[in-house]
Amino acid sequence: MNLTTKRIVPFISFLCIAACIGDLLITYILGRQYPGYNHATDTLSRLGASASPVSNAISVWWVILGTVFIIFAIGFGIRYRDKGKTVIIAALLIALYGLGEGMGSGLFKADRIGGSSSIPAIIHDIMGGVGIIAILILPKVIQRLFPEEGHRAFYRLSSVVFYIGLLSTLLFFTRYAGDNILGYYKGLWQRITLLNTYAYFFVIAIRMVRPAHQNEA
C-alpha cells in the first residue's frame, strides 16, 4: 500500500466495523422503544414505517449506515485496485448493498395503505431486494479475488457465508408463503442474515489493513 492508501484504508475499515456493531446495537435499542415490537417475529422495516415511534431516528441512521457501506466499497476498491476488474465488481456489490438495504430503507418507508403497499414501500422492497442479491453474490466474487490456493481459510469462510446467507434469506422469504411457522419468525431469519453479512464485513475490513503476507490464509 502507498502512503495515501495506508492512511485512508484503516480509517474506512474501522468505520465499517463501527457501523456494523452500531447497527446491531441501535436496532436493538430502538426496537425496545417500540411497544409490542418483537425482534424475532417483526422485520426491521417495521421499525422505519411511519407508524413506528422510532421511524425518523432509524431512517436517519439507515441513510448514514448505507453511506458508510458505500465508502467501505470505495475503500475496498482502493485497497485491491491491483486485482483487476473483479475487484470493481466486488466493490459495486458492497455499494449496492449499502444503497439498497441502507439508504433505500432509510429514504423509503415500508408503509401499507388499505392493506396494500404504498409506492415508497414498493421502492423500499425493490431496493432492498437488490441489496440482498448483491450481498448473496459477494462471497462468490470474493473467492475469485482470493482463490483457495493461497487463501484457504478465507476461501472456505466465503463459502460458509454464502450458504448461511442463502439459507437465511430463503427462510426469510417463507413469509410470502402464507401463514407458516417458518415465516412467522421472519425477524429472526433477517437478523441471522444481518449477522452473517456483518461478520463477513468484519473479516474483510481486518484483512484490508493487514500486510499482504498475513492474509495468505
Side-chain angles (χ1 to χ4, degrees):
M1 292 189 289
N2 58 37
L3 183 60
T4 302
T5 303
K6 285 182 178 180
R7 290 175 176 174
I8 293 176
V9 170
F11 172 75
I12 290 176
S13 297
F14 171 79
L15 193 64
C16 177
I17 291 172
C20 290
I21 295 173
D23 188 47
L24 296 175
L25 291 174
I26 288 171
T27 52
Y28 174 76
I29 292 170
L30 291 181
R32 300 270 295 180
Q33 307 304 312
Y34 190 163
Y37 185 84
N38 188 311
H39 287 279
T41 59
D42 290 321
T43 65
L44 291 166
S45 295
R46 188 181 173 196
L47 286 176
S50 296
S52 166
V54 297
S55 177
N56 291 335
I58 197 67
S59 294
V60 170
W61 165 245
W62 280 336
V63 171
I64 294 171
L65 182 70
T67 302
V68 170
F69 287 152
I70 292 172
I71 293 172
F72 181 58
I74 295 171
F76 182 86
I78 292 172
R79 174 64 176 86
Y80 299 112
R81 62 184 178 275
D82 59 332
K83 289 186 175 291
K85 293 181 179 179
T86 305
V87 73
I88 298 176
I89 297 173
L92 284 174
L93 291 174
I94 296 172
L96 281 173
Y97 178 75
L99 183 65
E101 282 288 87
M103 297 185 73
S105 296
L107 295 173
F108 301 97
K109 298 182 183 296
D111 293 337
R112 298 183 67 82
I113 301 175
S116 301
S117 295
S118 62
I119 292 177
I122 293 172
I123 298 173
H124 172 104
D125 289 342
I126 292 173
M127 293 185 70
V130 170
I132 290 172
I133 292 171
I135 212 62
L136 281 176
I137 297 172
L138 180 65
K140 289 302 180 183
V141 176
I142 292 288
Q143 285 181 323
R144 292 179 59 188
L145 282 173
F146 304 101
E148 187 170 13
E149 184 179 355
H151 306 275
R152 182 173 299 177
F154 187 50
Y155 186 91
R156 291 179 177 177
L157 173 66
S158 295
S159 291
V160 170
V161 168
F162 172 75
Y163 288 114
I164 290 176
L166 181 62
L167 177 60
S168 60
T169 299
L170 289 174
L171 287 170
F172 176 71
F173 281 115
T174 59
R175 61 189 288 225
Y176 297 112
D179 292 334
N180 64 88
I181 188 64
L182 291 177
Y184 180 72
Y185 288 101
K186 53 190 176 293
L188 175 62
W189 311 134
Q190 189 177 33
R191 282 158 179 79
I192 290 174
T193 302
L194 203 65
L195 283 169
N196 187 55
T197 299
Y198 289 174
Y200 197 46
F201 279 2
F202 185 94
V203 173
I204 292 172
I206 294 297
R207 288 176 62 90
M208 283 169 58
V209 299
R210 292 168 62 185
H213 70 275
Q214 292 184 12
N215 287 326
E216 294 177 2

